[in-house]
Amino acid sequence: METYLNIIHFCFYKAHYKMHLLANKINPFRLIHKLPFQKKRYEKLGIDINKEIDRSFGDKKFGLSTMAAGGILWGVLGIFFFSLLILSNLISYAAMPHIVICSVLSGIVCYFFVFKNDKYLKYFDEFEKCSKLEKWKYGWLTLGSIVALSLLFYIGLIT
């Protein structure tokens, strides 16, 4: 289970980071950094702003993509537990205590299997070394898991 959750976390991280890189190409606000007074300021500070922004997203320990992937994983697990509650007929309607219980439970699972002692960093290094075919396999596994979770949630709602 630990490996599976870390695969999903890694795939969310990579997807978020790649979407950031794609958004860089079409983001009109990036043109601000090309203005002469901005360029002079960055030269004076001795930084390349594009590299700094990419590093703030791509940092595996405290990067924005890592944090977003962790939040998405937490939410996906919360929806999974909520779907299980609905399907097992333990609840007939969504109330705040049910949502809080599912959120706390998913937070506990994420903490112990992914975030405790930065386990995900070890898995990130391992998954980065994988072949392209294995990365594609992990990506399809993650996509299939999200589709299956969506179907589970939908079935729970219509029953």
Side-chain angles (χ1 to χ4, degrees), residues 78 81-82 85 95-108:
F81 291 133
F82 190 72
L85 279 178
M96 188 55 86
H98 302 126
I99 295 170
V100 169
I101 289 169
C102 291
S103 297
V104 169
L105 184 60
S106 66
I108 291 169

Side-chain angles (χ1 to χ4, degrees), residues 10-119:
F10 175 74
C11 289
F12 286 149
Y13 161 78
K14 289 302 268 188
H16 189 271
Y17 186 67
K18 286 182 180 183
M19 294 212 318
H20 156 71
L21 294 176
L22 176 66
N24 281 346
K25 296 179 193 249
I26 60 173
N27 188 353
F29 293 106
R30 300 280 291 196
L31 297 174
I32 292 172
H33 303 301
K34 294 183 180 182
L35 294 173
F37 71 92
Q38 287 290 88
K39 282 185 178 182
K40 289 178 188 173
R41 177 71 177 153
Y42 296 140
E43 287 174 6
K44 184 178 177 185
L45 293 173
I47 62 171
D48 180 3
I49 192 66
N50 294 322
K51 288 182 182 176
E52 294 297 322
I53 292 171
D54 288 344
R55 190 172 61 206
S56 69
F57 272 87
D59 183 26
K60 291 181 181 163
K61 187 150 179 123
F62 297 113
L64 295 172
S65 293
T66 303
M67 290 182 194
I72 294 168
L73 179 65
W74 191 339
V76 164
L77 277 176
I79 292 170
F80 173 73
F81 291 133
F82 190 72
S83 299
L84 290 180
L85 279 178
I86 292 173
L87 283 174
S88 63
N89 291 327
L90 293 176
I91 60 173
S92 57
Y93 61 92
M96 188 55 86
H98 302 126
I99 295 170
V100 169
I101 289 169
C102 291
S103 297
V104 169
L105 184 60
S106 66
I108 291 169
V109 169
C110 282
Y111 176 74
F112 283 109
F113 288 116
V114 179
F115 303 120
K116 186 176 181 184
N117 299 324
D118 294 330
K119 287 181 188 178

Side-chain angles (χ1 to χ4, degrees), residues 1-9 113 123 126-127 138:
M1 177 153 177
E2 181 176 312
T3 303
Y4 176 71
L5 290 175
N6 278 289
I7 286 171
I8 291 175
H9 185 239
F113 288 116
Y123 283 99
E126 179 184 326
F127 297 144
Y138 294 151

Side-chain angles (χ1 to χ4, degrees), residues 7 132-142:
I7 286 171
K132 195 168 190 166
L133 182 64
E134 285 181 304
K135 288 180 184 178
W136 273 95
K137 180 179 75 170
Y138 294 151
W140 283 109
L141 175 72
T142 301

